[in-house]
Amino acid sequence: MKFRTFMRHIRDAFKSLFRNGWMSIASISAVALTLLLVGSFTGILLNVNKLASDVENDVSVKVYIDLAADPAAQEVLKTELENIANVESISFSSKDEELDKIIGSYGDEFDLFGGDANPLYDAYVLNTTAPEQTKAVAEAASAMQYVTQVEYGGATADKLFETIATVRTIGLVIIIGLLLVAVFLISNTIRITIFSRSTEIEIMRLVGAKNSFIRWPFLIEGAIIGLVGAMLPTTFLIFLYRFIFDVSGDYLAGTNFSLLTPNPFLLYISLLMVGIGIIIGAFGSVFSMRRFLKV
């Protein structure tokens, strides 16, 4: 295609947008509302997945050391624990540190158990290479000498992992469903726009215009509608997400949980929404006008 012809198609596309102003606004509104829904749910589900991963990674195996173990026995136990398959890291937590955690969670009334009155045990905290391995690691550790108790959440942790897996599956299905809905709604809105201009297309055919010559302005017009329609919700979601991220930082401070950082998350979401808008707008126009180009 010659450059001059291409520029003519672009000019015709913009003229058509303004000439059919109300239908253009309707199409842009449909794109904007649909992509706002898609972008919002995608952002929510991706952050739910991020928080789920944080929860999984926060699950650890705590191995309490028998009081009969002297320092040398503790070192031997540490080596044995490190050799368990799927153990990524190990750290020591003294009984005083364990008491400090209880005091921080339940109050200063537990101060009276300090010093020699401390009934707790020293412990090793094991982090696994994968959250699903915690049960196997806990079972292996519980069989070792000088281990008095092993905690990892038991059935609660197993149920947590099952719930997280379910949430991820449901989230993926919802995103795919929303994308299909977006394709359906936007394509049908553009189809109405094309149908209202069937006479214009018929006249172009009668004067001998080729199908490709008729199709290109509509393709460009659809792409412009998709681009403008995507930019509006994208801009809104960028400001909204930055606000939510700043507010959530105060509530999640001091924890191992956080939302996805705005950069590059917002860039990916923006590119996704703009890409969907342009592709659906352009090809929605072409597919919707096929019936008018049949011989």
Side-chain angles (χ1 to χ4, degrees), residues 27-28 31 35 182-183 185-191 193-194 215-230 273-289:
S27 298
I28 291 173
V31 173
L35 291 183
V183 172
L185 291 178
I186 295 173
S187 296
N188 276 278
T189 303
I190 294 176
R191 182 175 299 171
T193 304
I194 299 296
R215 186 181 290 115
W216 266 103
F218 285 96
L219 187 148
I220 296 173
E221 182 179 347
I224 295 172
I225 288 174
L227 175 61
V228 176
M273 293 177 64
V274 170
I276 291 174
I278 293 176
I279 291 173
I280 294 178
F283 288 94
S285 294
V286 173
F287 294 148
S288 299
M289 66 183 299

Side-chain angles (χ1 to χ4, degrees), residues 7-291:
M7 293 304 298
R8 176 190 175 87
H9 290 327
I10 294 178
R11 185 171 63 252
D12 290 343
F14 276 102
K15 285 182 179 179
S16 179
L17 280 171
F18 289 106
R19 186 167 58 245
N20 301 277
W22 287 112
M23 293 303 299
S24 298
I25 293 174
S27 298
I28 291 173
S29 300
V31 173
L33 291 175
T34 307
L35 291 183
L36 178 62
L37 185 65
V38 171
S40 298
F41 272 89
T42 301
I44 291 172
L45 292 172
L46 289 177
N47 275 284
V48 167
N49 184 67
K50 169 64 166 58
L51 292 174
S53 297
D54 291 341
V55 171
E56 286 181 332
N57 295 328
D58 197 49
V59 176
S60 58
V61 178
K62 183 169 288 187
V63 179
Y64 292 99
I65 307 170
D66 194 297
L67 296 176
D70 57 22
Q74 290 186 9
E75 284 299 317
V76 172
L77 176 60
K78 179 181 179 181
T79 301
E80 293 176 346
L81 292 173
E82 288 174 335
N83 291 330
I84 297 177
N86 299 309
V87 171
E88 184 175 40
S89 63
I90 183 171
S91 60
F92 179 77
S93 178
S94 68
K95 62 181 183 179
D96 292 331
E97 291 173 334
E98 291 295 305
L99 180 61
D100 289 339
K101 294 176 183 177
I102 293 177
I103 293 173
S105 299
Y106 299 103
D108 295 337
E109 59 268 21
F110 287 89
D111 278 337
L112 55 92
F113 294 106
D116 294 335
N118 189 339
L120 302 178
Y121 297 87
D122 294 333
Y124 285 116
V125 180
L126 283 60
N127 294 315
T128 59
T129 54
E132 297 79 7
Q133 302 297 332
T134 53
K135 182 177 182 180
V137 171
E139 291 175 349
S142 62
M144 294 182 177
Q145 188 178 12
Y146 295 117
V147 173
T148 185
Q149 185 180 353
V150 176
E151 291 182 355
Y152 78 100
T156 302
D158 294 338
K159 187 65 176 178
L160 173 65
F161 296 144
E162 293 176 3
T163 302
I164 289 174
T166 301
V167 169
R168 284 172 171 161
T169 301
I170 293 174
L172 180 61
V173 171
I174 291 176
I175 290 178
I176 294 174
L178 286 173
L179 290 175
L180 293 176
V181 170
V183 172
F184 177 78
L185 291 178
I186 295 173
S187 296
N188 276 278
T189 303
I190 294 176
R191 182 175 299 171
I192 295 173
T193 304
I194 299 296
F195 184 79
S196 67
R197 296 160 62 184
S198 57
T199 302
E200 177 184 343
I201 298 174
E202 184 63 25
I203 292 173
M204 294 176 70
R205 291 192 61 203
L206 290 174
V207 298
K210 294 182 179 180
N211 286 350
S212 59
F213 186 88
I214 300 173
R215 186 181 290 115
W216 266 103
F218 285 96
L219 187 148
I220 296 173
E221 182 179 347
I224 295 172
I225 288 174
L227 175 61
V228 176
M231 290 175 63
L232 297 176
T234 298
T235 303
F236 174 77
L237 288 177
I238 287 175
F239 284 102
L240 178 62
Y241 187 80
R242 289 188 180 277
F243 171 77
I244 293 175
F245 182 82
D246 293 337
V247 172
S248 68
D250 297 332
Y251 291 97
L252 299 177
T255 70
N256 293 325
F257 311 119
S258 65
L259 299 180
L260 292 166
T261 55
N263 294 318
F265 170 68
L266 290 177
L267 174 62
Y268 295 151
I269 287 291
S270 300
L271 292 176
L272 174 67
M273 293 177 64
V274 170
I276 291 174
I278 293 176
I279 291 173
I280 294 178
F283 288 94
S285 294
V286 173
F287 294 148
S288 299
M289 66 183 299
R290 284 185 301 173
R291 57 177 296 189

